[in-house]
Amino acid sequence: MAATVSYDDVEVGTELPAATFPVTRATLVRYAGASGDFNPIHWNEKFAKEVGLPDVIAHGMFTMAEAIRVVTDWVGDPAAVVDYGVRFTKPVVVPNDDAGAVVEVSAKVAAKLDDEARQVRVDLTAVCDGQKVLGMARAVVALA
């Protein structure tokens, strides 16, 4: 698979299609099984509150992974992401109801980094309940 977006067709300010990602307690249990991260703050409401959290929270790496999907869906190839980093600013609180939480992700091309390598920097914004949950979320992407 290769990137389907051409470097020549992208400009600084190009907005990627935004996406929303629902997160329920069942989602967290599945992620815990896949990742091996069974920390009780991600599934045990009593424990989460005892350690000072408002409720069960989503895994930070899960939130990070959902956010980068906006980039990989846009570029057409997950391997086109050559660097990705975030700072976790607020937890995604996941209530024990049928709705859960929703993470809203938007992104835009912030810089063209290297004409020869055809790389751009994409800045992402991830929000849940009106709060930014990832800070300094940036990906370097190699385009076609």
Side-chain angles (χ1 to χ4, degrees):
M1 194 182 290
T4 58
V5 176
S6 171
Y7 181 83
D8 299 327
D9 294 338
V10 173
E11 297 177 14
V12 171
T14 298
E15 293 186 13
L16 284 61
T20 58
F21 302 100
V23 186
T24 64
R25 296 280 178 96
T27 308
L28 300 181
V29 170
R30 286 191 298 274
Y31 184 80
S35 69
D37 181 353
F38 294 100
N39 187 323
I41 64 173
H42 303 304
W43 57 269
N44 184 316
E45 186 173 328
K46 181 178 178 287
F47 183 84
K49 289 181 176 181
E50 284 175 356
V51 298
L53 295 168
D55 207 332
V56 165
I57 63 170
H59 302 74
M61 296 304 285
F62 171 81
T63 306
M64 187 177 176
E66 289 291 79
I68 197 65
R69 286 177 53 192
V70 167
V71 176
T72 59
D73 288 351
W74 170 70
V75 76
D77 179 9
V81 177
V82 296
D83 189 39
Y84 178 46
V86 306
R87 290 196 179 149
F88 301 108
T89 56
K90 296 270 185 196
V92 174
V93 178
V94 183
N96 191 19
D97 59 19
D98 292 333
V102 175
V103 178
E104 302 167 4
V105 181
S106 59
K108 68 179 177 179
V109 175
K112 289 184 115 175
L113 301 176
D114 185 339
D115 290 343
E116 189 174 322
R118 304 178 73 77
Q119 293 180 347
V120 297
R121 189 186 88 219
V122 176
D123 290 354
L124 297 94
T125 302
V127 175
C128 183
D129 286 334
Q131 300 268 340
K132 198 171 176 184
V133 296
L134 297 177
M136 301 292 291
R138 295 179 173 172
V140 175
V141 184
L143 302 180

